[in-house]
Amino acid sequence: MRANFEEFVVARGPALLRFAYLLTADGYLAEDLVQEALLRTHRRWSAVEHADGPEPYVRKAILHLYLSWRRRRSSTETPVADLPERPVPDHLADLFAERDEMWLLLRQLPRSQRAVVVLRYYEDLADADIANLIGCSAATVRVHAFKALKKLRAALESNTETQLVSTETTP
Amino acid sequence: MNDVERMLQRALVRHADEAPRSGQLLHRLRGRARRRRQRQLTALTCGLTVALCALVVGVQGGLADPSERAGQSGASPLAPSTPALVYLTLAPGPVTIDDYAPKPTRPMPGMKQQATIVAAGVPMVLYASTTGANAGMSVQVSAAPPVRQSTAGSASYRVRTHPATFVPSLASDPTKWSLCWQEKPDRWLTIEGFGPVVIDDLLTYAEGIAPVRVPFAMPFAFGLTPSNLIVDDASASWITFRPGNVAPGGVAESKLAVLLDERLPEAPGGRSVQVGQRPGVIFTTGGTTMLSVSQRDGRAITIQVPPNIGVTEPELIRFAAGIRVTSAAVAGKG
């Protein structure tokens, strides 16, 4: 393998793995996606290296692999129907629980919505850049983001109400 | 940013730290690239290997040991069964591959000669595309015409004075083409490839090929020879030996392999051993015994012994101690 490719892998590997993990929520799959994307990049390294830099190319490859992976396996995946119950927490525990709850909810989002959420709120990309990566219009990105946030808000409110009822009825 | 968006961002930041560590990423990537290249190499040679297996089995049918012939008759290169256990026998003397091999004297436009290998006991020259196109080809000499199920769509040409047949799409694999001609009464030359090909370029290239008897440049020099095993595959990075009851071109998992690695491989649960003057490590993975011996330049010779080949640890170490890396060797790397 070429030296500058290896340097790129060493330097940017951690960030790419974090990106893939947030998309897949699966460590093994994340590493698999990153390896596959890097191998594809390596085959076109000369062109990729001298264009906009290799990282956007690799991220795009990861994203597309993730979207196609989800399509292939969507029929066999079982979404999490119910969130685990938790006691009325103190502030710190509440904060952690809230994040884990959000993580579980994120896993239930459709692939394109989850990709948009990760790119927008973790990678901090503008809608136009997200649209370019996914291969759709900026308006479609905004629709995905809107729907994702709406679903997350509805699920959070529903869970809070369930917990409040549960707390009130507990003797 | 509203409350849900802030919660979302916090959750993503926190869970990003749970991503797998990247320490082994480059190492695993090299391994994956190497495995992929080996698969591509196998795919390239598969057509020729399968076509020639029947031929080579026929040639090997003249082996002196009748028990080997009996073992071969039941084996199939396409559906390998579990071969019977064969105990390794070592004898002094070098391992050589001295057979007819194609010697190209003209370049093939758009292709670059990549390697000379031995597949299923037959030397062949491999080419890869220089333009990035999905194309490649192999050239080899055989003692009989390759077995073809069909020559539909074939065209007749001449290579020097010899009638040659070009098949644009093989029955065994429609993505592959072949050009074949009889050079001498007992020597056939076959060029097989995939991807786009210009027939005039191919014929000009073919005009410059001659079958010559040349020794294969071995990656290793052997002090001790596995006398009851037959050389099956070889390249600049590895050599495999098959027992008589494993068909030529059979699965790698049934053959003793000697490989040159860039460095000592990972050896989970490995045990340190002394191999001659060099340190080594012995371990077992998936029923295969592996012995890796570190070389002075940091590279490592690895011997893989599958479960169907029996050998004691002292014998394996004795065999390993007699292996030297030659100047023709290239370490397998990602």
Side-chain angles (χ1 to χ4, degrees):
Chain A
M1 285 182 171
R2 299 168 207 199
N4 45 4
F5 175 77
E6 295 195 351
E7 283 166 14
F8 170 75
V9 172
V10 171
R12 300 306 301 156
L16 295 170
L17 283 167
R18 281 196 295 272
F19 174 56
Y21 179 73
L22 290 177
L23 290 173
T24 59
D26 181 316
Y28 293 106
L29 184 62
E31 186 157 351
D32 191 45
L33 289 187
V34 171
Q35 284 180 19
E36 184 60 34
L38 285 169
L39 283 179
R40 289 181 184 195
T41 307
H42 181 248
R43 283 202 290 268
R44 302 194 63 236
W45 185 248
S46 304
V48 169
E49 193 184 22
H50 296 109
D52 300 330
E55 188 149 351
Y57 184 89
V58 181
R59 283 182 184 271
K60 202 166 185 170
I62 291 171
L63 198 56
H64 287 194
L65 284 167
Y66 162 68
L67 294 175
S68 60
W69 165 78
R70 288 280 296 184
R71 269 198 288 277
R72 284 200 300 274
R73 286 162 175 77
S74 57
S75 59
T76 59
E77 280 195 357
T78 310
V80 180
D82 300 306
L83 292 171
E85 288 183 9
R86 59 188 169 91
V88 178
D90 59 17
H91 177 68
L92 192 61
D94 191 21
L95 201 61
F96 282 113
E98 159 213 296
R99 286 170 183 169
D100 286 335
E101 187 178 39
M102 183 62 86
W103 184 243
L104 287 170
L105 290 172
L106 267 171
R107 296 172 72 159
Q108 299 175 52
L109 291 179
R111 61 185 187 279
S112 47
Q113 291 180 17
R114 182 175 172 121
V116 166
V117 160
V118 171
L119 291 166
R120 201 188 227 198
Y121 296 104
Y122 182 74
E123 296 293 336
D124 206 22
L125 294 182
D127 289 349
D129 296 329
I130 297 172
N132 183 41
L133 273 175
I134 294 181
C136 63
S137 68
T140 307
V141 169
R142 283 193 287 276
V143 170
H144 283 320
F146 173 77
K147 285 183 176 172
L149 290 173
K150 192 177 168 187
K151 274 184 198 168
L152 292 174
R153 181 179 289 282
L156 285 169
E157 284 172 358
S158 165
N159 289 341
T160 308
E161 281 168 17
T162 308
Q163 282 153 16
L164 283 173
V165 171
S166 171
T167 309
E168 283 165 6
T169 54
T170 304
Chain B
M1 193 178 281
N2 62 36
D3 55 337
V4 176
E5 288 175 306
R6 274 192 295 275
M7 285 168 65
L8 187 53
Q9 200 168 40
R10 283 201 298 266
L12 288 170
V13 169
R14 176 170 175 259
H15 283 280
D17 292 337
E18 295 165 7
R21 297 286 163 250
S22 64
Q24 293 290 312
L25 181 61
L26 190 58
H27 176 72
R28 288 176 185 155
L29 202 58
R30 284 182 183 138
R32 194 164 172 159
R34 181 162 57 179
R35 285 193 297 277
R36 184 160 295 185
R37 268 207 308 278
Q38 283 171 350
R39 280 200 300 274
Q40 285 170 342
L41 195 66
T42 304
L44 180 67
T45 56
C46 185
L48 277 172
T49 304
V50 169
L52 282 165
C53 268
L55 166 68
V56 178
V57 167
V59 172
Q60 299 289 352
L63 288 171
D65 186 352
S67 64
E68 289 188 342
R69 281 205 302 272
Q72 271 187 342
S73 63
S76 159
L78 296 177
S81 55
T82 308
L85 182 66
V86 172
Y87 285 95
L88 180 67
T89 306
L90 296 174
V95 175
T96 54
I97 304 171
D98 185 10
D99 203 348
Y100 279 94
K103 187 180 179 186
T105 57
R106 296 178 185 176
M108 174 66 183
M111 296 272 189
K112 182 185 171 191
Q113 189 172 327
Q114 206 167 36
T116 299
I117 64 162
V118 175
V122 179
M124 63 173 70
V125 182
L126 299 180
Y127 284 75
S129 169
T130 54
T131 61
N134 184 26
M137 67 178 200
S138 62
V139 191
Q140 73 172 65
V141 184
S142 58
V147 179
R148 298 282 181 232
Q149 292 169 331
S150 162
T151 53
S154 63
S156 296
Y157 295 95
R158 280 199 173 268
V159 175
R160 292 186 296 277
T161 57
H162 312 294
T165 304
F166 177 73
V167 182
S169 180
L170 299 181
S172 56
D173 184 347
T175 64
K176 288 185 177 173
W177 51 261
S178 87
L179 178 71
C180 184
W181 72 94
Q182 190 175 11
E183 185 72 32
K184 292 179 180 177
D186 61 343
R187 293 296 150 196
W188 290 74
L189 270 155
T190 306
I191 308 173
E192 190 171 292
F194 59 94
V197 61
V198 177
I199 189 69
D200 288 341
D201 289 346
L202 183 63
L203 290 170
T204 306
Y205 165 79
E207 295 271 339
I209 301 176
V212 292
R213 199 173 182 91
V214 286
F216 179 76
M218 297 284 282
F220 306 106
F222 292 86
L224 289 169
T225 307
S227 59
N228 59 337
L229 304 182
I230 304 154
V231 175
D232 199 40
D233 302 315
S235 77
S237 304
W238 77 84
I239 180 164
T240 67
F241 301 86
R242 66 175 175 85
N245 60 359
V246 172
V251 293
E253 289 77 8
S254 301
K255 296 185 279 191
L256 184 148
V258 181
L259 309 100
L260 182 63
D261 287 318
E262 273 193 316
R263 59 183 72 84
L264 267 182
E266 286 181 13
R271 182 163 46 81
S272 296
V273 289
Q274 189 71 20
V275 180
Q277 301 298 313
R278 307 299 310 160
V281 60
I282 192 163
F283 59 104
T284 304
T285 173
T288 297
T289 303
M290 314 273 281
L291 171 61
S292 286
V293 185
S294 178
Q295 303 299 293
R296 283 192 174 81
D297 57 7
R299 296 187 295 181
I301 294 173
T302 298
I303 302 168
Q304 297 180 10
V305 186
N308 60 304
I309 297 176
V311 61
T312 62
E313 188 176 311
E315 281 290 276
L316 180 58
I317 290 174
R318 202 162 71 91
F319 175 54
I323 303 174
R324 299 282 177 275
V325 180
T326 70
S327 57
V330 177
K333 59 180 180 180

